[in-house]
Amino acid sequence: MQIRTSRFGRSLAAACLYAALAQAALAVEVGGVKLDDTVQLASRELKLNGAGVRYKVIFKVYTIALYLPEKKTQLADILALPGPRRLEIVMLRDITSDELGQAFMQGLKRSSDQADRTRLLSQTMQFGAMFEMVPGLKKGDILTVDWLPEEGTLCKLNGKQVGDMVPDLAFYNALLKIWIGAHPADTLLRAHLLGDMA
């Protein structure tokens, strides 16, 4: 009886260890935030392409993750990739909606040329109006910015849709360029989103 119990105990311990290792393999921690290796969007499995922390001076502002149908390390390859995409932003401190809106708009201005900004003006204004619906973001809030093919850009705050869907893949690509374009706000964060998780 003691032998059977001992074998059972070893089997149970092995099963628990396996489960723990499997769970660890399914998530990565960035800036104290656990991110899934994969997410489901528009009936597709998206892979975590990269993630990093956005700093302002010395303060952590948010952890951001990029999910794609397949891993890519070059901007051009990402922009040409068919299928859904996701940016997931997890707040690491409180900010007002004005601060968030200004950061997005400054990022678009820095990363897009004048012709693109003019062409995407109506979508940008529609996206900017979304921030007026949100009083602010709190530490721990999760903002997802998804591209849904043939539908548009969909934003959700803690799982609840914010504003209307914004059409045009070019607009979503302009948003991506804020972080992974030629003139990002943070070059180290850009490297992390492009797959350099070191």
Side-chain angles (χ1 to χ4, degrees), residues 22-29 34-51 65-71 84-88 144 146 197:
Q23 184 63 32
L26 294 175
V28 63
E29 188 170 311
K34 287 186 178 178
L35 300 166
D36 291 331
D37 273 350
T38 60
V39 296
Q40 293 290 325
L41 181 64
S43 302
R44 292 282 302 275
E45 181 180 84
L46 304 185
K47 298 175 176 65
L48 178 63
N49 197 73
L66 174 62
Y67 290 91
L68 301 171
E70 56 187 86
K71 291 194 174 188
R85 308 170 193 168
R86 167 169 286 177
L87 282 167
E88 181 173 304
T144 55
D146 295 335
M197 301 291 281

Side-chain angles (χ1 to χ4, degrees), residues 33 35 62-67 85-92 95-97 99-101 103-104 127 130-131 134 136-146 153-163 172 175 179:
V33 175
L35 300 166
Y62 54 77
T63 291
I64 183 169
L66 174 62
Y67 290 91
R85 308 170 193 168
R86 167 169 286 177
L87 282 167
E88 181 173 304
I89 299 169
V90 182
M91 300 307 301
L92 301 177
I95 65 170
T96 67
S97 59
E99 289 174 317
L100 182 64
F104 267 107
F127 192 75
M130 176 191 77
F131 297 109
V134 180
L137 297 181
K138 303 293 184 185
K139 182 178 179 180
D141 279 351
I142 301 173
L143 179 67
T144 55
V145 185
D146 295 335
T153 297
L154 174 66
C155 292
K156 289 185 177 181
L157 179 59
N158 299 324
K160 184 177 179 182
Q161 182 172 339
V162 179
Y172 193 85
L175 289 179
W179 293 278

Side-chain angles (χ1 to χ4, degrees), residues 50-159:
V53 176
R54 175 70 173 115
Y55 288 86
K56 191 168 184 180
V57 191
I58 59 170
F59 301 104
K60 292 180 180 179
V61 183
Y62 54 77
T63 291
I64 183 169
L66 174 62
Y67 290 91
L68 301 171
E70 56 187 86
K71 291 194 174 188
K72 298 291 182 184
T73 60
Q74 300 297 319
L75 174 64
D77 293 336
I78 291 172
L79 298 185
L81 196 62
R85 308 170 193 168
R86 167 169 286 177
L87 282 167
E88 181 173 304
I89 299 169
V90 182
M91 300 307 301
L92 301 177
R93 61 182 304 208
D94 296 356
I95 65 170
T96 67
S97 59
D98 284 345
E99 289 174 317
L100 182 64
Q102 286 175 12
F104 267 107
M105 296 310 165
Q106 287 171 0
L108 283 171
K109 184 176 181 181
R110 182 180 53 251
S111 60
S112 302
D113 60 30
Q114 183 62 51
D116 281 344
R117 291 198 300 273
T118 300
R119 186 164 59 87
L120 297 172
L121 182 59
S122 63
Q123 291 98 321
T124 302
M125 290 177 67
Q126 182 182 341
F127 192 75
M130 176 191 77
F131 297 109
E132 297 175 10
M133 303 176 189
V134 180
L137 297 181
K138 303 293 184 185
K139 182 178 179 180
D141 279 351
I142 301 173
L143 179 67
T144 55
V145 185
D146 295 335
W147 169 252
L148 303 174
E150 300 178 11
E151 293 186 63
T153 297
L154 174 66
C155 292
K156 289 185 177 181
L157 179 59
N158 299 324

Side-chain angles (χ1 to χ4, degrees), residues 2-38:
Q2 192 167 0
I3 294 172
R4 287 180 185 170
T5 304
S6 178
R7 284 180 182 165
F8 176 75
R10 284 197 299 272
S11 297
L12 182 60
C16 290
L17 179 60
Y18 175 79
L21 290 173
Q23 184 63 32
L26 294 175
V28 63
E29 188 170 311
V30 179
V33 175
K34 287 186 178 178
L35 300 166
D36 291 331
D37 273 350
T38 60

